Amino acid sequence: MAAQPTTTNVNPNGETGQTLADILVAQKALDVGRAQQVKTAEIQTGKTQEEILKSQNLVTEDALVKAKASLYNVPYIDLGTIPASPEALAVLPQEVANKFKAFPISVDAPSKQMALAMADPLDLTAIEFIEQKTGLSVKPHAAELSKIEHAISTRYTSSLAQEVTEALKEVAPEKSQTKTLEAQKTGFIREERVSEIVTHILDFAIRARASDVHIESQEKSTRVRYRIDGILQEKLTIPKALHDALISRIKILSGMKIDEKRVPQDGRFSFKGGDEEVDLRVSSLPSTWGEKIVMRLLKKTGGIPDLPDLGLRGRGLKNLEDAILRPHGIVLICGPTGSGKTTTLYSIIQRINTSKINIMTLEDPIEYKIPGVNQVQVNPAAGLTFASGLRSFLRQDPNVILVGEVRDQETADLAIQASLTGHLVFSTLHTNDASGALPRLLDMHAEPYLLASSMTAVVAQRVVRKIHDKCKVAYDADPKIVSEIKGVLGNLWPDGKAVKLYKGKGCAECNNSGYYGRVGIFEVLSITEKISRLILERSPASGIEKQAREEGMITLKQDGFLKVLEGITTLEETLRVAQD
């Protein structure tokens, strides 16, 4: 092993610089008094400052490693945020990584250099051995021993990294071996080994509950990111040389033109991983370093959740249930892209779907197929738009009409006319809150008197990540935060109860995020007589919201804070999606 390094930084002029304790003070990880005690103990006991800090448990492991990195002038790396690189894992065997407590981060083939996370980045013996073993020059990075051990135990054996590593060993851009693979719905296809990598990427997406997969070309590599519980997580890097082959394989599966790389394309295909089958909606886009692919996963199995499962409850749930049981009127679901509007619409349709009524939907695209419902895909190229489709629907004797989105004046007018002629109409609108939907429709030149008599309810929603139950811990809330929550909740504040907030500690099952799954937060605006009068007066959104709150509407932020107090989600999540 290398000689024990000193805990004092020495500059080129031979003058003694900062010690480890000084750096920890500068990084605000240790107070000045404790730092002085550590220096005194170093002189009295002959132990290094690092040994003293560890034995007395004075600082966290990550703070100590960051300080050591600064002291030794070595870059620090957080392994918890770094994706697996099958190329690097294939170069450094697991037994070598275990022996020297080092984890391969990435390989730069042109410069023949490997970035390596090390518990002791000054261990020259380890660096020399690994350089001889791999034939690459090592660039050491400082990392926490616990994170290195966790990365070695999980990433070498994690199916995604391991399977892609195995496939990469047999694939080179100039020489590929063919293999027969089971293509999920189309029998058997002879394809290059690259197709096996695509299969592993999609398999992992299903197991990780991802909603989207991003395959993006970077300058020196291709990264694979998964949107899990609404947050993008980078899980894999693949050699740049394989990028075009990966993209071509996905384009073939999706029915796209593989020789057309200058314009965006769309496609879709089905994939079965384990017991689950998914539809994949695929989009390609030309970018600086090559084409980018995004695949949206749409589950075929698992069913549509019921309204209470989405997070609707109490008065909001009752008001929505009352609105959807009426024979006519308009119910709008509002929120930004990715806020779960389509899922809520499908839950509503599922609730009212019987053989006694004719339900027709006009969607772009059809995300889930519902038995007994007539679903139509918008096709602007063929002249089938939301407006033209809606006009045709009225000649199909419908009871319930679902229009994917109100995008223009014509669609808004037709939806209002349909509701006034005895149909129940559901649709979505891109507004931030429920009260903002009504002025938006007026901006589309909808007549106030028609809008006031046709609207039944407006729902605004967002999705927040749920705290993982298996690693949930309680903590005492800061008085300022309690005061803020109390101010927002007003008379909804639960009296006579000590306030505890919750968070997830993080574990292997939730990928150390502390979150697992998602739930909605909602505000349901019922169109009462007083609200109708405000629509006729063209009142602004603020006036409509004030009246709705007086009538008992719970706002998005209030619903979020109630779920925070119940330990369903965290304060940070609620503020992330519902902050004004």
Side-chain angles (χ1 to χ4, degrees), residues 84 86 155 157-166 197 200-205 207 224 226 235-236:
R155 297 194 187 179
T157 55
S158 91
S159 52
L160 179 65
Q162 189 180 37
E163 287 156 353
V164 174
T165 302
E166 289 302 312
I197 296 175
H200 295 321
I201 287 170
L202 295 176
D203 263 333
F204 182 82
R207 289 198 305 274
V224 182
Y226 294 86
K235 292 288 183 184
L236 193 66

Side-chain angles (χ1 to χ4, degrees), residues 465-475 497 500-510 512-516 519 562-571:
R465 290 181 290 170
K466 288 162 69 176
I467 299 170
H468 188 205
D469 281 332
K470 290 185 182 174
C471 62
K472 185 195 287 189
V473 291
Y475 66 96
K497 183 179 156 188
K500 287 271 185 190
L501 298 186
Y502 300 85
K503 62 183 176 184
K505 259 194 319 189
C507 61
E509 193 178 331
C510 64
N512 289 313
S513 67
Y515 297 101
Y516 193 90
V519 70
L562 288 171
K563 288 182 167 89
V564 167
L565 294 178
E566 290 170 32
I568 295 170
T569 188
T570 62
L571 186 70

Side-chain angles (χ1 to χ4, degrees), residues 20 24 27 29-30 50 53-70 76-80 101 118-121 142-151:
L20 192 61
L24 284 163
Q27 293 176 350
L30 191 70
E50 183 178 349
L53 288 160
K54 280 181 178 175
S55 65
Q56 296 184 24
N57 202 21
L58 293 174
V59 290
T60 60
E61 185 187 15
D62 63 327
L64 184 60
V65 172
K66 284 175 186 172
K68 279 171 66 181
S70 176
Y76 166 80
I77 194 156
D78 181 359
L79 277 182
K101 301 302 176 197
M118 302 180 72
D120 181 4
E144 297 91 331
L145 176 60
S146 62
K147 287 186 180 177
I148 289 172
E149 288 174 338
H150 182 263

Side-chain angles (χ1 to χ4, degrees), residues 285-495:
L285 187 75
S287 70
T288 312
W289 302 113
E291 281 184 285
K292 170 176 176 172
I293 287 274
V294 175
M295 295 181 278
R296 165 67 57 90
L297 278 75
L298 305 168
K299 287 186 183 180
K300 284 187 171 184
T301 51
I304 296 166
D306 199 11
L307 291 172
D309 297 334
L310 297 177
L312 273 158
R313 69 247 177 105
R315 184 177 292 175
L317 176 60
K318 186 177 183 313
N319 287 345
L320 181 58
E321 286 175 334
D322 289 346
I324 66 178
L325 291 174
R326 292 189 186 180
H328 54 82
I330 299 177
V331 176
L332 283 179
I333 314 290
C334 304
T337 303
S339 60
K341 299 188 296 294
T342 304
T343 305
T344 302
L345 280 176
Y346 281 159
S347 296
I348 291 170
I349 293 295
Q350 183 91 323
R351 171 73 72 93
I352 62 175
N353 185 17
T354 71
S355 59
K356 295 177 181 177
I357 59 172
N358 178 19
I359 302 176
M360 305 202 64
T361 78
L362 190 60
E363 304 172 58
D364 183 20
I366 296 169
E367 296 199 2
Y368 299 96
K369 293 181 175 69
I370 310 172
V373 174
N374 304 289
Q375 295 174 273
V376 178
Q377 166 82 49
V378 167
N379 186 355
L384 178 55
T385 62
F386 282 124
S388 67
L390 187 49
R391 200 176 286 110
S392 302
F393 272 20
L394 296 174
R395 296 192 289 274
Q396 287 282 324
D397 185 30
N399 298 97
V400 177
I401 297 172
L402 186 155
V403 186
E405 189 183 340
V406 176
R407 291 182 180 170
D408 51 39
Q409 181 184 349
E410 190 179 4
T411 311
D413 288 343
L414 285 165
I416 291 168
Q417 290 303 327
S419 73
L420 292 172
T421 51
H423 305 92
L424 183 56
V425 180
F426 297 103
S427 192
T428 68
L429 197 63
H430 285 277
T431 59
N432 290 329
D433 51 26
S435 52
L438 301 166
R440 174 69 59 84
L441 289 170
L442 291 171
D443 288 344
M444 288 182 183
H445 304 291
E447 290 293 342
Y449 68 96
L450 294 177
L451 200 57
S453 53
S454 63
M455 291 300 301
T456 309
V458 184
V459 180
Q461 67 179 80
R462 302 285 190 280
V463 282
V464 292
R465 290 181 290 170
K466 288 162 69 176
I467 299 170
H468 188 205
D469 281 332
K470 290 185 182 174
C471 62
K472 185 195 287 189
V473 291
Y475 66 96
D476 292 318
D478 184 288
K480 284 184 184 172
I481 289 170
V482 173
S483 174
E484 185 187 338
I485 295 174
K486 209 169 184 176
V488 170
L489 289 179
N491 60 2
L492 297 170
W493 177 261
D495 284 325

Side-chain angles (χ1 to χ4, degrees), residues 84-93 104-107 114-115 156 165 168 237:
S85 168
E87 193 179 18
L89 292 172
V91 166
L92 188 71
I105 302 162
S106 63
V107 170
M114 175 167 66
Y156 272 100
T165 302
L168 282 175
T237 58

